[in-house]
DNA sequence: TGGCCGATATGCT
DNA sequence: GCATATCGGCCAA
């Protein structure tokens, strides 16, 4: 049975295509894993770190298939994978359905409730113990991303928590998942 | 060097 | 639904 693992070249596609492909995939990091149920695409739009954080966000334009972990509101960190061989881009991982290492996740998160472990970009970074120092490394060095047998049903809407470019429907979710960061 | 703002999470009303 | 902690990144001065 073939392993359906994403390779560096899969991140070379346009950002929205990569975002769609990531939904439903199992993201493995250390002893923990979860199914990706919510992502957001960022390019050169007004809400993108490539524009608003020209120094740290420059990594979005320096190749694809790289890890970009940024800090926000002081104590939080969020995980992105860079995309698009022909321009700046990244996909923000916003929520997972926890599948493996759940006891570790509960300890790190200080919560027993399954839906609180990875339902938010900073929550999943804490649950999986993603190290911000991984920024710049290859995605495949620190993560294994396994495709689902069947593509999930996807819904799109505006991205969360931004003040610019609110109209772009670049937040993609697995339709009906109870593990989203917000109800749709 | 100071000040502003943010791709958030949490707790309270 | 709303307030706010908390500090890195950025830029103006």
């Amino acid at each position: 049975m073939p392993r359906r693992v994403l390779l560096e070249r899969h991140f070379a596609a346009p950002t929205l295509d990569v975002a769609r492909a990531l939904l439903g995939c199992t993201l493995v990091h250390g002893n923990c894993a979860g199914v990706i149920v919510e992502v957001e695409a960022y390019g050169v739009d007004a809400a993108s770190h490539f524009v608003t954080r020209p120094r740290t966000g420059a990594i979005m334009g320096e190749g694809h298939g790289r890890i970009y972990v940024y800090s926000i509101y002081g104590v939080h960190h969020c995980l992105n994978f860079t995309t698009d061989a022909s321009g700046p881009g990244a996909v923000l991982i916003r929520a997972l359905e926890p599948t493996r290492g759940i006891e570790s996740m509960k300890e790190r998160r200080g919560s027993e409730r399954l839906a609180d472990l990875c339902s938010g970009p900073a929550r999943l970074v804490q649950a999986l113990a993603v190290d911000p120092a991984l920024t710049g490394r290859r995605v495949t060095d620190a993560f294994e991303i396994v495709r689902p047998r069947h593509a999930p049903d996807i819904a799109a809407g505006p991205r969360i928590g931004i003040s610019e470019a609110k109209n772009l429907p670049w937040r993609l979710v697995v339709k009906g998942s109870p593990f989203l960061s917000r109800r749709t």
Side-chain angles (χ1 to χ4, degrees):
Chain A
M1 176 119 125
R3 298 212 51 164
R4 316 157 81 90
V5 176
L6 287 198
L7 305 174
E8 184 167 321
R9 64 182 167 80
H10 292 105
F11 293 88
T15 305
L16 278 166
D17 292 346
V18 177
R20 274 187 285 267
L22 284 170
L23 283 180
C25 289
T26 295
L27 179 68
V28 185
H29 182 65
N31 67 324
C32 294
V35 176
I36 301 172
V37 295
E38 177 178 347
V39 298
E40 284 178 359
Y42 287 86
V44 290
D45 58 277
S48 171
H49 283 180
F50 187 76
V51 173
T52 65
R53 294 189 181 191
R55 288 212 282 262
T56 54
I59 188 174
M60 294 173 63
E62 293 167 354
H64 58 273
R66 300 294 170 141
I67 298 164
Y68 169 41
V69 181
Y70 68 85
S71 71
I72 188 71
Y73 295 102
V75 293
H76 303 301
H77 293 272
C78 302
L79 171 66
N80 297 255
F81 300 137
T82 69
T83 57
D84 197 341
S86 61
V91 173
L92 168 67
I93 310 300
R94 284 195 58 92
L96 308 175
E97 173 179 347
T99 54
R100 232 165 59 213
I102 290 173
E103 286 312 309
S104 301
M105 295 188 194
K106 286 180 175 176
E107 277 185 33
R108 295 187 190 115
R109 288 279 303 132
S111 171
E112 287 295 313
R113 189 165 173 266
L114 204 57
D116 285 344
L117 300 181
C118 298
S119 297
R123 288 175 172 180
L124 69 91
V125 163
Q126 185 184 17
L128 300 189
V130 175
D131 185 351
L134 288 172
T135 294
R137 303 272 303 280
R138 288 179 166 82
V139 171
T140 50
D141 284 351
F143 296 92
E144 187 178 54
I145 303 177
V146 186
R147 309 175 79 130
R149 286 186 177 74
H150 304 288
D153 278 350
I154 295 174
R159 295 171 296 180
I160 304 281
I162 56 172
S163 56
E164 304 288 329
K166 289 178 170 176
N167 52 322
L168 299 173
W170 287 358
R171 173 183 182 237
L172 306 180
V173 305
V174 172
K175 209 180 282 188
S177 169
F179 295 94
L180 305 180
S181 67
R182 301 191 187 181
R183 293 291 168 200
T184 54

